[in-house]
Amino acid sequence: MITRADVAKRANVSPTVVSYVLNNSNYVSKEKREAVLKAVEELGYIPNQVARSLLKKKTRQIAVLRGNALNDMFNDLLFNMEGVAYEHGYSVSLLTVMQDEKGQCKNEYIEELISRHFDAIFVANSSLTEKQLLTLKKYDVPLLLYPTKDYIGLDKEFTFLAPDYRSGVRELIEMLIKYGHTRIAFMPNFLYPNVWDQSNHRFDGYVHALAAHGIPLNLTYVCKGGNRKISQILDSVDRLFDPKRTILPPTAIYVDESIIAGTILKHLTKKGISVPEDVSLVSSSDSTVAQILTPRLTAIGVDPRTLAEKAMEMMLEIIEGRQPEGCFMPMTLHQRESVRSLL
């Protein structure tokens, strides 16, 4: 294995000078710098990143926490975040939060995060409790929150960045109402805790849109019972269209994640229910999946590259010991073929 000493010998300089050049950490004359870089190229030297991390007490690693693989928006976000992070000398690790039977993050998982010494963590999952977030803060883990629910008492403790789901979902539901839909089902991500509480930003947007147009909240259309598996989600769909259990079926269905919307679309088709002829279908995740379904899915979203760049910008500030101002990013409504007007 080629070492830094080998590079120094080839360039006829000291190992310290090699370190200065590779880390760009001190002045080195043009001649010596060119000699070191030439020796690196000739020998094919690859710096030991682990050793450099131990020396600088920086891992150059950023973690992105997500809840489950069915949240397909993070496939688009991660792709863009990796590129943006690389431009700044960082690598990204996508981690799936280990949850208990109640949908909350396991305490031992928090210990694992602390032990891995990430330079920053983008907490893009709502299953971490306030206590767990404060534990990470206690151990000086730099955090950027992606809140899709309200964290009581933590508004001044952490920096946040997320799409404005409250306003976005409200705009989406009001669009359906404008097209004559009043029986609108709410199908949340079944692995999020407290999905039918108004502390959940998406549900709060749904409730406020109905209220603004004088439409009473009908819990018949809120699917919340035990939705921990895809099969249970589809059971909820069956209930909505079973005349023995739901007298008037919904004319539209809101779904958190577009990959779940695609699963529902396929299930409805098997039942002989057409989208959008029989029921309209919308989502608050404008991912690649939303755009390749047939029909294409009407959805709200934030450009993943823009979100990735903003997240990286804020995490770099946090790593440097600053606390940037939190930001809810406006969402854009993309109207496609999955919605039909009833007027």
Side-chain angles (χ1 to χ4, degrees):
M1 178 182 293
I2 304 300
T3 67
R4 188 166 300 188
D6 296 324
V7 174
K9 184 177 181 180
R10 174 68 67 93
N12 196 27
V13 298
S14 70
T16 300
V17 171
V18 175
S19 296
Y20 288 161
V21 173
L22 296 180
N23 296 320
N24 197 26
S25 59
N26 211 329
Y27 172 77
V28 176
S29 69
K30 180 180 178 181
E31 293 78 11
K32 288 183 178 181
R33 181 178 295 276
E34 289 178 349
V36 169
L37 294 177
K38 182 180 179 182
V40 167
E41 183 177 358
E42 290 176 350
L43 296 173
Y45 173 66
I46 300 175
N48 187 325
Q49 295 295 340
V50 173
R52 295 173 73 177
S53 296
L54 291 172
L55 181 64
K56 293 187 173 185
K57 297 183 179 180
K58 294 289 184 182
T59 63
R60 311 298 292 182
Q61 289 278 333
I62 289 173
V64 178
L65 305 188
R66 72 173 180 185
N68 63 88
L70 294 178
N71 191 336
D72 51 306
M73 185 202 75
F74 285 104
N75 297 330
D76 298 339
L77 175 61
L78 181 68
F79 174 79
N80 284 277
M81 279 204 72
E82 285 183 316
V84 174
Y86 180 77
E87 294 169 4
H88 292 276
Y90 285 84
S91 297
V92 174
S93 298
L94 180 63
L95 305 178
T96 300
V97 177
M98 297 295 103
Q99 299 176 345
D100 60 23
E101 64 280 358
K102 296 181 180 179
Q104 293 186 334
C105 176
K106 294 182 177 180
N107 286 325
E108 54 265 33
Y109 188 75
I110 299 299
E111 297 172 4
E112 172 71 16
L113 289 176
I114 294 170
S115 71
R116 294 182 65 174
H117 300 286
F118 290 105
D119 287 351
I121 299 178
F122 189 20
V123 185
N125 178 255
S126 60
S127 67
L128 276 71
T129 66
E130 286 86 348
K131 183 177 180 180
Q132 289 171 335
L133 291 171
L134 289 171
T135 297
L136 290 171
K137 183 178 179 64
K138 176 182 176 182
Y139 284 89
D140 296 322
V141 178
L143 299 179
L144 177 63
L145 297 190
Y146 182 99
T148 59
K149 70 172 187 178
D150 294 334
Y151 286 102
I152 307 302
L154 296 187
D155 53 332
K156 296 181 180 179
E157 296 283 347
F158 298 95
T159 301
F160 66 87
L161 170 69
D164 187 357
Y165 283 111
R166 272 195 168 99
S167 298
V169 172
R170 179 168 179 167
E171 181 182 6
L172 191 61
I173 301 302
E174 288 186 335
M175 179 268 297
L176 290 171
I177 294 171
K178 182 182 72 174
Y179 288 151
H181 296 274
T182 57
R183 303 196 305 272
I184 304 169
F186 182 86
M187 186 72 70
N189 185 319
F190 53 93
L191 289 179
Y192 289 169
N194 303 323
V195 289
W196 49 90
D197 189 291
Q198 282 189 252
S199 65
N200 178 288
H201 296 178
R202 295 177 178 92
F203 186 63
D204 192 52
Y206 169 78
V207 170
H208 275 86
L210 296 177
H213 293 269
I215 301 173
L217 175 64
N218 187 339
L219 294 181
T220 300
Y221 301 122
V222 177
C223 301
K224 61 180 183 179
N227 292 332
R228 303 291 299 166
K229 299 178 181 178
I230 283 289
S231 60
Q232 292 170 322
I233 284 282
L234 298 182
D235 286 343
S236 295
V237 173
D238 290 339
R239 176 183 61 77
L240 290 172
F241 293 93
D242 182 350
K244 295 180 180 179
R245 293 185 285 175
T246 305
I247 297 175
L248 294 173
T251 61
I253 302 175
Y254 159 83
V255 186
D256 273 5
E257 314 296 349
S258 54
I259 195 167
I260 300 176
T263 304
I264 291 173
L265 173 62
K266 182 179 179 180
H267 186 68
L268 289 172
T269 301
K270 286 183 177 180
K271 292 173 63 69
I273 300 171
S274 298
V275 174
E277 289 78 12
D278 300 318
V279 62
S280 293
L281 191 63
V282 300
S283 172
S284 58
S285 177
D286 187 45
S287 67
T288 300
V289 171
Q291 301 171 46
I292 64 173
L293 292 173
T294 303
R296 295 185 306 158
L297 193 62
T298 292
I300 53 170
V302 172
D303 176 66
R305 176 73 185 189
T306 303
L307 180 57
E309 289 176 344
K310 184 65 175 177
M312 194 66 213
E313 173 190 323
M314 296 176 73
M315 281 189 286
L316 287 174
E317 290 190 59
I318 294 169
I319 290 170
E320 293 169 1
R322 303 195 300 273
Q323 185 173 5
E325 185 176 351
C327 174
F328 282 117
M329 300 182 69
M331 306 186 77
T332 301
L333 174 60
H334 302 275
Q335 295 192 38
R336 302 190 181 98
E337 297 86 4
S338 68
V339 170
R340 182 177 74 92
S341 175
L342 301 181
L343 301 178

